[in-house]
Amino acid sequence: MAELQTPRAAGRAERYLEPVADESFGVVQKPLSAWERLYNIGALRKLFLLAVLALIWEIYARSINNPLLFPTFGATVGALYDGLVHGALLLKAWTSIRVLLVGYAAGIGLAALLTVLAITTRLGTDLLETLTSMFNPLPAIALLPLALIWFGLGEGSLVFVLIHSVLWAVALNTHSGFLSVSMTLRMVGRNYGLSGFGYVRRILIPAAFPSILTGLKIGWAFAWRTLIAAELVFGVSSGSGGLGWFIYENKNLLEIPNVFAGLFTVILIGLLVENVIFRTVEIHTIRKWGMQH
């Protein structure tokens, strides 16, 4: 039998390499320019977009030159300033916000009750699914005639339609978030002996909070636009109307800059709630917990 022969290794001269400084490879980290630092600030980017939209508004309004049809951005800002400083616009805004908070809180409370029942009992699940199938497709504004008959011309009617607009969006998103919680977290809660409301509060709510927060945002948006629409129809509440009624009155008086100022106030309040209140909650909860980036 032939012997196995290993090939002879070719002789190689030993090489010694001197360590090279990092600076010789070029710039490792390049500092950002002033423009790049400004561009990385989200608030400045949004302000720039708003400024562009305001410029387009001003150019278009000047091109058609018809204040009754479309006032300029400058005229709208002037009407907004007069309404806030010298007029009743600030009082109208507070009237709307106060009614909104009552309806929003009541809707969230009812949604929480239905969702807890749905996640803890089978009968509660059937109840939530049946009610959402019946009432979620029903526009809140369609309940205005019944609200007028049942509660009269006042805050009760507004609160009723607000509860309807908030309840189903919050309940559906919360229940969906509860169902998406991983089985591992559920088993951890069971192993610790949690059940009932304690199980929901300690396990399900923290794990499903992204979906809950989404439901709160959707419920807020539904409630805000439902309130303005309801006030446009029967906006007098306890002798004084809100923003919707302010818009309606100035439309009848052909004070179109004031109409746009009222609409502008609705938009500003929406931006404030979305970018300050909900963003703060988001930063201190789901982003802090590493659930969103």
Side-chain angles (χ1 to χ4, degrees):
M1 188 170 68
E3 295 180 358
L4 295 176
Q5 297 181 356
T6 59
R8 294 178 60 186
R12 295 180 180 178
E14 294 183 356
R15 300 177 61 189
Y16 296 95
L17 300 178
E18 295 293 335
V20 180
D22 295 338
E23 291 79 5
S24 63
F25 291 102
V27 178
V28 177
Q29 183 177 3
K30 179 182 177 181
L32 296 177
S33 64
W35 166 252
E36 290 173 330
R37 289 196 299 269
L38 292 176
Y39 184 78
N40 288 333
I41 302 176
L44 291 180
R45 295 197 304 268
K46 293 180 180 179
L47 287 176
F48 173 75
L49 293 176
L50 292 176
V52 171
L53 293 175
L55 180 61
I56 295 174
W57 179 349
E58 185 73 19
I59 293 173
Y60 176 73
R62 289 181 180 273
S63 65
I64 63 175
N65 194 23
N66 189 347
L68 289 179
L69 182 63
F70 202 89
T72 63
F73 180 77
T76 302
V77 172
L80 177 64
Y81 177 81
D82 291 337
L84 292 176
V85 177
H86 306 292
L89 186 55
L90 196 60
L91 179 61
K92 301 291 186 182
W94 168 243
T95 300
S96 295
I97 292 174
R98 179 173 52 82
V99 177
L100 175 70
L101 291 177
V102 175
Y104 189 64
I108 292 176
L110 289 175
L113 178 61
L114 285 176
T115 308
V116 171
L117 288 176
I119 206 66
T120 53
T121 63
R122 293 183 179 180
L123 185 60
T125 301
D126 296 336
L127 177 64
L128 180 61
E129 291 178 353
T130 303
L131 291 179
T132 51
S133 300
M134 292 170 55
F135 295 113
N136 191 41
L138 182 65
I141 205 69
L143 297 176
L144 283 177
L146 289 178
L148 286 171
I149 295 173
W150 293 344
F151 303 103
L153 193 64
E155 290 187 5
S157 300
L158 295 175
V159 171
F160 177 75
V161 295
L162 288 176
I163 290 175
H164 175 81
S165 62
V166 173
L167 173 58
W168 312 116
V170 176
L172 282 175
N173 279 274
T174 303
H175 188 249
S176 176
F178 285 171
L179 293 179
S180 63
V181 176
S182 66
M183 187 57 64
T184 302
L185 289 176
R186 293 174 181 272
M187 293 175 64
V188 168
R190 298 302 185 188
N191 289 337
Y192 273 98
L194 297 176
S195 62
F197 182 71
Y199 172 72
V200 173
R201 181 173 63 89
R202 294 179 178 272
I203 300 296
L204 295 184
I205 291 180
F209 200 74
S211 297
I212 297 174
L213 187 59
T214 301
L216 293 176
K217 290 181 180 180
I218 296 174
W220 149 257
F222 284 178
W224 187 228
R225 66 188 186 187
T226 298
L227 175 63
I228 300 303
E231 288 180 341
L232 283 169
V233 178
F234 66 103
V236 176
S237 176
S238 300
S240 62
L243 280 174
W245 191 248
F246 176 84
I247 295 170
Y248 182 78
E249 282 184 318
N250 283 277
K251 185 267 296 181
N252 290 337
L253 297 173
L254 295 181
E255 295 288 346
I256 307 304
N258 287 336
V259 173
F260 275 77
L263 295 173
F264 204 60
T265 305
V266 173
I267 294 172
L268 288 177
I269 293 175
L271 289 174
L272 178 67
V273 172
E274 180 68 28
N275 292 282
V276 176
I277 297 178
F278 282 120
R279 182 62 58 86
T280 302
V281 174
E282 182 180 293
I283 290 173
H284 288 85
T285 53
I286 57 179
R287 291 195 178 186
K288 182 180 179 181
W289 301 338
M291 305 173 73
Q292 190 182 77
H293 302 284

